């Protein structure tokens, strides 16, 4: 059975990506780092350029999620850290 893709958006998506992979999902990750460990477990990855200083930005994040989801039919979206001061973005 093929792994179902799942979107992950976080300041650092590594732990969520590892957990998703262990659970049998194919992580599609948007985060600020794109470190080697995250890339190793991600089916796809988009590095967000704003970083901690700029915080999560609506247009950048939504574009990244659209690119990750293209042709993948993700089963869900997991929000990680980085949205504490962005409740409107989560809505």
């Amino acid at each position: 059975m093929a792994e179902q893709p799942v979107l992950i958006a976080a300041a650092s998506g590594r732990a969520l990506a590892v957990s998703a992979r262990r659970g049998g999902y194919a992580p599609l990750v948007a985060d600020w780092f794109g470190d080697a460990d995250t890339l190793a477990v991600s089916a796809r990855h988009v590095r967000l350029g704003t970083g901690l200083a700029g915080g999560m930005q609506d247009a950048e994040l939504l574009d990244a999620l659209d690119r990750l989801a293209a042709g993948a039919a993700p089963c869900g979206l997991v929000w990680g850290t980085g949205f504490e001061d962005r409740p409107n973005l989560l809505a």
Side-chain angles (χ1 to χ4, degrees), residues 8-19:
I8 296 171
S12 174
R14 180 181 41 176
L16 292 171
V18 168
S19 180

Side-chain angles (χ1 to χ4, degrees), residues 2-52:
E3 296 175 321
Q4 281 191 303
V6 62
L7 288 166
I8 296 171
S12 174
R14 180 181 41 176
L16 292 171
V18 168
S19 180
R21 184 62 76 181
R22 285 182 183 162
Y25 294 90
L28 309 174
V29 181
D31 77 359
W32 291 335
F33 300 101
D35 59 79
D37 292 335
T38 302
L39 297 177
V41 297
S42 298
R44 293 187 200 160
H45 179 271
V46 172
R47 185 176 179 274
L48 302 171
T50 54
L52 184 59

